[in-house]
Amino acid sequence: MNNPITSQPSGNAVINLPITGMTCAACAARIEKTLNRLPGVSAAVNFATEKAHIEYPAATVATADLIAAVRKAGYDAQEPAASSDETHKAERLAAYRKDLQLFIISALLTLPFVALMFYMLGGAPQGDLFHGAHHATWFPPLAQLIVSLPVQFWIGGRFYRGAYHALRGGGANMDVLIALGTSAAWFHSAAVVLLGLNGHVYFEASVSIITLVFLGKLLESRARARASAAIEELLRLQPQTARVERDGHIVEIPVAQLRKGEVFIVRPGESVPVDGRVIEGASDIDESLLTGESLPVSKSAGSTVFAATINAQGLLRCTATGIGADTALAGIVRLVEEAQGSKAPIQRLADKISGIFVPVVLGIAAITLAGWWLYSGSFAEALVPAVAVLVIACPCALGLATPTAIMVGSGVGARAGVLIRNAEALERAGHIDTLVVDKTGTLTRGKPAVTDIMPALGADEDELMRVAAALEAGSEHPLAQAILEYARNRGITPAPVGNFAAVTGHGVRGTVDGETALLGSPRFIAESGFNFKEAAVAQLQDAGKTVVGVTRGSRLLGLIAIADPLRPSSPAAIAALQALGIEVIMLTGDNRRTAARIARETGITRFEAELLPQDKARIISGLQKEGRHTGMTGDGVNDAPALAAAGVSFAIGAGSDVAIHAADVTLMRSDLMSVVDAVRLSRATFRKIRQNLFFAFFYNVLGIPLAAAGLLNPVIAGAAMAMSSVSVVGNSLLLKRKS
């Protein structure tokens, strides 16, 4: 991914460092502990994504120091910029194919041992599944030793290497458990064969465990790749080439060569190559991949277009404004990757347990070996349950329980236009019981529009709008823009205007068609000597609308009502939030009459109006003191203090950069239903996490005593351990049904 290292306001730097060599959660805990010993370093290692998210003081700690610390812990790391995402993907695919080949060889070499176990289960007199196979005539012990050698030391060599590095770094991980367990079984069996001792052999146990664990890691790797596919899916959406105007010709070039400020062409049906601004043409753009909104968005001169969105029918000429890491798509990818690499508070318990789990298991295995040896008087008898304890206790499932669900959940959110900054925000979103919402731009469209035209007697609507548009032609005021847009949509051309003047706080005046024309508040029009129906004005104002009058010469041309219309989805979103057990409170700086209308139309029962930005933050702090779990949704600069004060904050993606920067969750779709989606996604994700943790804990809590009691064969323990990790990842992948 581009721009892997980003500067922080604190003067620190942040890097997502790829880690290799991890085999379980204990590895991640070991690396994290080692990195956090460095001065000023704050690291979170994610076993599922195989990355370390590190914040460090760039002035005193270099990237090389971080990599050295990882290697000191017995693992490896490399600079993110050393290779591209495509290179990493190719390397992972090559490694997977190599592992698949090794597994096939291992499986073929294990087949005779599987046949031997079935032979024993069928009543063979020379051994049984629990006590090991030893003197089967068609597969004698010496042949078993020879066939098992490559499985134990070539195929299983990775476990020995991993164990060595872990122990050298002062820790213990899954490799230690597997290497110790299988080695105990294999070397005991080899001693029986080579020294002619009287005892059972357990070659089938060691080779079966290695093969099954290898299979489990392959399946786990494949499932984890599916879990992290969200980023790859997003990156694949951006086209690889762009049509650019150079020296009067249109040439097709790789997107990476397109420079900011260059003019590019987007033909019908093509994807937009980079972010840009339309300078010529009109079309509808499908922006669903960014916003989750299925309806196309109309674009014309001056409109903004985004990389990877799809042009429908028109030809567009655009100026490139954002390329590479500066596109909206790249920003989404960064947010998703950061969220997937972060840790939720619920994971802290699992991390603590994983960090001490392997040493505890080694102790339990030693006690099991000693206890059974004393009880049976046979080392061979004691070896089987001890090996089963070592194999069954791998904490892989525990380490995958939380991060895989976070990976899938954040990916599902990104496809729905819900960008979650980190895992902590994702967790908190599901806990909110009170949502504070701004009115303008959140419940309403945030863009005033003409709602009512009331021509006076003897005037018509076109004449009224022609004069009004003339008087507002040079204004940037939102109400003026509403009038101009209405006139433009009706095909009305503003009349020429002269002697223009603004009357502060009242309206404007100018000369139109040789006569003095006025546009302003009803009071301004009345004070200028014109009469109108006050009851009609009062009715419109009671509905929360702004009313302006328009005159020309001695005639009143009529009244225009303007309002910020409610988003069509707002009432349904409020009802959905209330159904989720969330109280919705509206805080607005608008007047009380308008606020009351919006509250009534949306079903909000509690609101406060005419507030300053600091008032909103104060009210949210008061709600938190009451023990409320608060959320805040807003879109403007004035919402930033309240967004920062809330427990979890949601910024409308079409809002200001300040609001988005202050928020935990960015809603690319300007729709309050996205908050509903975010809350539902959070609750679904953490249901999966709780299920995963329960099964992981239950698996180990149940499996270890059974193994220690001699009720679990090592081969079955190996299969169960491998499948537990796969089942946890598979359960997390069910979240994709939410997409």
Side-chain angles (χ1 to χ4, degrees):
M1 184 181 159
N2 294 320
N3 195 24
I5 304 176
T6 56
S7 297
Q8 299 297 298
S10 62
N12 283 359
V14 169
I15 186 171
N16 290 311
L17 203 63
I19 307 292
T20 56
M22 291 192 296
T23 56
C24 67
C27 302
R30 174 67 187 168
I31 298 169
E32 190 172 295
K33 186 177 180 180
T34 302
L35 286 169
N36 285 328
R37 285 175 183 159
L38 296 175
V41 171
S42 175
V45 180
N46 191 312
F47 173 50
T49 60
E50 297 182 316
K51 288 185 179 180
H53 182 76
I54 310 169
E55 183 175 349
Y56 64 100
T60 57
V61 177
T63 306
D65 299 325
L66 302 173
I67 294 174
V70 173
R71 289 173 178 166
K72 183 180 177 181
Y75 305 89
D76 199 8
Q78 58 182 339
E79 291 255 16
S83 57
S84 67
D85 282 328
E86 288 300 318
T87 303
H88 282 306
K89 184 179 177 183
E91 289 173 352
R92 289 196 303 268
L93 182 59
Y96 177 82
R97 287 174 176 168
K98 181 180 178 182
D99 285 346
L100 182 59
Q101 291 172 353
L102 289 175
F103 167 73
I104 292 171
I105 296 170
S106 183
L108 291 173
L109 292 173
T110 304
L111 279 176
F113 295 96
V114 174
L116 183 63
M117 286 188 285
F118 279 108
Y119 169 71
M120 291 183 292
L121 284 172
Q126 300 294 336
D128 57 57
L129 180 60
F130 185 83
H131 294 101
H134 44 293
H135 299 300
T137 55
W138 61 273
F139 196 19
L142 182 59
Q144 294 179 39
L145 185 150
I146 294 170
V147 174
S148 66
L149 264 172
V151 178
Q152 184 70 38
F153 298 105
W154 176 41
I155 307 296
R158 64 183 55 217
F159 300 118
Y160 288 105
R161 290 190 295 271
Y164 166 74
H165 289 305
L167 293 171
R168 189 188 67 176
N173 61 4
M174 181 199 82
D175 291 330
V176 174
L177 298 179
I178 301 301
L180 191 59
T182 59
S183 294
W186 193 91
F187 281 107
H188 168 78
S189 303
V192 169
V193 174
L194 297 176
L195 301 178
L197 302 178
N198 183 23
H200 299 293
V201 293
Y202 300 96
F203 293 116
E204 86 286 351
S206 66
V207 298
S208 298
I209 289 168
I210 288 172
T211 301
L212 286 168
V213 171
F214 207 154
L215 173 62
K217 298 305 287 183
L218 278 174
L219 294 175
E220 178 189 308
S221 176
R222 187 174 179 179
R224 281 160 58 186
R226 288 177 58 201
S228 61
I231 290 178
E232 292 179 0
E233 288 174 10
L234 289 171
L235 289 171
R236 280 199 300 268
L237 294 170
Q238 188 166 10
Q240 300 301 307
T241 61
R243 302 179 191 279
V244 182
E245 290 186 2
R246 288 184 176 175
D247 301 324
H249 300 283
I250 297 176
V251 295
E252 189 169 344
I253 63 171
V255 168
Q257 296 179 12
L258 198 157
R259 298 186 295 270
K260 190 177 291 188
E262 284 194 294
V263 175
F264 62 90
I265 306 296
V266 187
R267 299 188 302 192
E270 292 183 341
S271 295
V272 179
V274 295
D275 289 2
R277 186 179 65 257
V278 178
I279 55 177
E280 185 181 336
S283 185
D284 290 335
I285 297 284
D286 178 0
E287 296 183 346
S288 58
L289 76 95
L290 292 181
T291 65
E293 176 58 61
S294 58
L295 294 177
V297 180
S298 297
K299 302 289 182 179
S300 56
S303 299
T304 301
V305 293
F306 301 100
T309 56
I310 300 172
N311 183 26
Q313 73 276 5
L315 181 72
L316 297 176
R317 291 181 69 245
C318 311
T319 301
T321 58
I323 60 176
D326 297 327
T327 64
L329 178 65
I332 291 174
V333 171
R334 278 196 296 275
L335 275 175
V336 173
E337 188 171 59
E338 288 171 9
Q340 290 185 342
S342 61
K343 287 190 177 183
I346 196 173
Q347 192 175 343
R348 291 170 188 157
L349 174 62
D351 285 348
K352 288 179 180 178
I353 293 173
S354 296
I356 62 172
F357 196 75
V358 174
V360 169
V361 169
L362 291 173
I364 294 173
I367 293 171
T368 301
L369 180 65
W372 274 91
W373 199 351
L374 288 173
Y375 173 75
S376 66
S378 168
F379 176 79
E381 289 282 347
L383 183 63
V384 174
V387 171
V389 168
L390 291 172
V391 174
I392 195 70
C394 174
C396 291
L398 193 61
L400 291 168
T402 299
T404 52
I406 296 292
M407 288 164 65
V408 178
S410 56
V412 168
R415 288 195 299 276
V418 178
L419 303 184
I420 299 153
R421 191 175 299 276
N422 52 49
E424 186 173 357
L426 179 60
E427 180 171 353
R428 290 201 309 267
H431 293 156
I432 62 172
D433 52 34
T434 305
L435 181 69
V436 174
V437 297
D438 177 49
K439 178 185 74 69
T440 305
T442 302
L443 294 171
T444 66
R445 293 185 184 276
K447 185 179 180 181
V450 172
T451 58
D452 300 272
I453 305 292
M454 300 178 63
L457 187 65
D460 61 37
E461 184 174 318
D462 286 355
E463 181 184 10
L464 169 61
M465 293 307 301
R466 178 173 173 272
V467 174
L471 293 170
E472 296 285 36
S475 175
E476 294 297 327
H477 193 280
L479 297 183
Q481 292 300 307
I483 289 172
L484 290 169
E485 183 175 357
Y486 185 88
R488 187 163 52 247
N489 291 339
R490 287 286 302 268
I492 297 171
T493 303
V497 62
N499 302 318
F500 178 84
V503 183
T504 304
H506 294 284
V508 295
R509 64 161 46 94
T511 301
V512 178
D513 298 332
E515 297 181 291
T516 298
L518 304 176
L519 181 148
S521 66
R523 180 180 177 183
F524 175 54
I525 298 300
E527 289 175 350
S528 300
F530 294 90
N531 297 317
F532 50 83
K533 295 180 180 179
E534 294 184 3
V537 172
Q539 184 178 4
L540 291 170
Q541 290 178 332
D542 286 341
K545 300 177 182 180
T546 299
V547 181
V548 296
V550 182
T551 72
R552 186 181 61 191
S554 59
R555 295 173 58 209
L556 174 69
L557 297 180
L559 302 173
I560 302 173
I562 303 168
D564 184 5
L566 194 68
R567 294 187 189 277
S569 61
S570 291
I574 298 300
L577 288 164
Q578 291 168 342
L580 291 170
I582 299 172
E583 180 185 7
V584 182
I585 301 172
M586 181 176 70
L587 304 181
T588 179
D590 210 338
N591 66 74
R592 178 163 291 275
R593 186 164 54 186
T594 300
R597 175 182 66 87
I598 295 295
R600 185 171 59 253
E601 292 179 3
T602 57
I604 294 174
T605 57
R606 180 178 173 183
F607 70 90
E608 294 194 36
E610 300 175 5
L611 299 174
L612 296 173
Q614 57 266 35
D615 294 331
K616 295 180 182 181
R618 174 182 51 78
I619 291 170
I620 288 174
S621 297
L623 291 168
Q624 291 172 332
K625 288 178 182 178
E626 295 174 10
R628 301 281 193 100
H629 297 285
T630 60
M632 166 70 191
T633 305
D635 76 321
V637 173
N638 64 323
D639 295 322
L643 288 167
V648 58
S649 48
F650 305 86
I652 297 292
S656 72
D657 290 342
V658 176
I660 292 171
H661 181 75
D664 297 308
V665 181
T666 300
L667 310 174
M668 298 300 293
R669 191 170 72 244
S670 298
D671 186 340
L672 199 61
M673 281 301 295
S674 290
V675 178
V676 179
D677 293 339
V679 172
R680 287 174 175 165
L681 177 63
S682 171
R683 294 182 180 181
T685 300
F686 281 86
R687 273 197 303 272
K688 289 297 178 190
I689 288 175
R690 285 189 289 271
Q691 290 169 8
N692 289 347
L693 288 174
F694 170 78
F695 287 123
F697 279 120
F698 179 78
Y699 162 80
N700 283 305
V701 168
L702 179 64
I704 292 175
L706 288 175
L711 301 176
L712 199 61
N713 178 266
V715 177
I716 297 174
M721 184 273 287
M723 291 303 104
S724 66
S725 296
V726 177
S727 63
V728 163
V729 179
N731 189 44
S732 296
L733 285 169
L734 293 177
L735 278 170
K736 288 195 172 184
R737 294 181 179 178
K738 298 284 180 184
S739 59

